Amino acid sequence: MAFTVEDGTGLPDANSYAAVEYADEYFAERGVTAWTGEDEAKQGWLIQATDYIEQVFGARFIGERMTAEQALSWPRRYAVTRDGTTIADDIVPLSLVRACCQYALRAISGPLMPDPLVSAEGYNVVTTRKKVGPIEKEFRVMGSSGSPILIRSYPAADTLMTSLLAYAGGGTRVIR
């Protein structure tokens, strides 16, 4: 499959919200030196970021999809932000493109939504351990396999997404 950036027309084969060239400029302007590598690797990270956006936020976006054939959630029609700003039908919002870049930067380090740790009994396990000097504290939560999906928080990217969401509620967030 070819790397195809959504251009605001509702492409049926789009798999990224951001182009490599845009991401290169975006990070260069901010002095981010971790955004390095071959264009093919960058394309992969941008696709992973777009997949993450679709999985985590796709059902919560304001407005509705332009066509049934488009591959991604944007562009949308009837998209009005909480502050009353109407987003044109034929664009991918800049905040979404920037968030895609931010998530892609994090994808360099590994999966954006890694599989949860599961105990032998089939329970999702979340463990937090802190050690300060000789004192160590561990917190462990075990939930059934039907418990909510735990999603990492990526504040720099997540905050760019908030104006595009129909509601602020949603899944459980755990910082690891």
Side-chain angles (χ1 to χ4, degrees):
M1 181 178 221
F3 179 74
T4 306
V5 179
E6 175 55 60
D7 63 3
T9 61
L11 298 170
D13 59 345
N15 55 10
S16 180
Y17 283 120
V20 171
E21 298 77 17
Y22 180 86
D24 288 346
E25 286 181 33
Y26 177 81
F27 291 122
E29 288 173 355
R30 287 156 180 79
V32 176
T33 58
W35 183 251
T36 60
E38 298 294 322
D39 281 357
E40 285 183 2
K42 292 176 180 179
Q43 290 173 356
W45 297 323
L46 289 165
I47 291 171
Q48 290 175 44
T50 301
D51 289 346
Y52 178 82
I53 289 168
E54 290 294 301
Q55 292 167 0
V56 174
F57 301 105
R60 296 173 35 203
F61 284 129
I62 55 177
E64 62 184 46
R65 296 165 66 99
M66 290 292 295
T67 71
E69 294 81 27
Q70 69 189 61
L72 302 176
S73 295
W74 287 87
R76 297 179 81 76
R77 60 181 171 195
Y78 315 123
V80 180
T81 64
R82 286 186 205 107
D83 68 2
T85 303
T86 300
I87 299 173
D89 292 353
D90 61 347
I91 68 161
V92 175
L94 184 58
S95 61
L96 179 60
V97 176
R98 289 178 173 173
C100 184
C101 292
Q102 288 288 337
Y103 290 124
L105 182 65
R106 278 117 186 111
I108 294 171
S109 302
L112 294 169
M113 196 180 326
D115 290 336
L117 175 64
V118 179
S119 70
E121 297 82 22
Y123 295 105
N124 291 341
V125 180
V126 178
T127 303
T128 305
R129 180 178 293 176
K130 291 185 180 185
K131 185 172 183 175
V132 180
I135 301 171
E136 186 170 1
K137 188 176 192 180
E138 181 174 303
F139 177 72
R140 175 176 263 194
V141 176
M142 295 180 70
S144 69
S145 59
S147 62
I149 295 173
L150 302 175
I151 301 169
R152 283 188 178 165
S153 179
Y154 301 101
D158 294 347
T159 56
L160 290 166
M161 299 295 294
T162 57
S163 68
L164 305 176
L165 302 178
Y167 60 93
T172 304
R173 290 214 173 264
V174 174
I175 299 173
R176 293 186 187 173

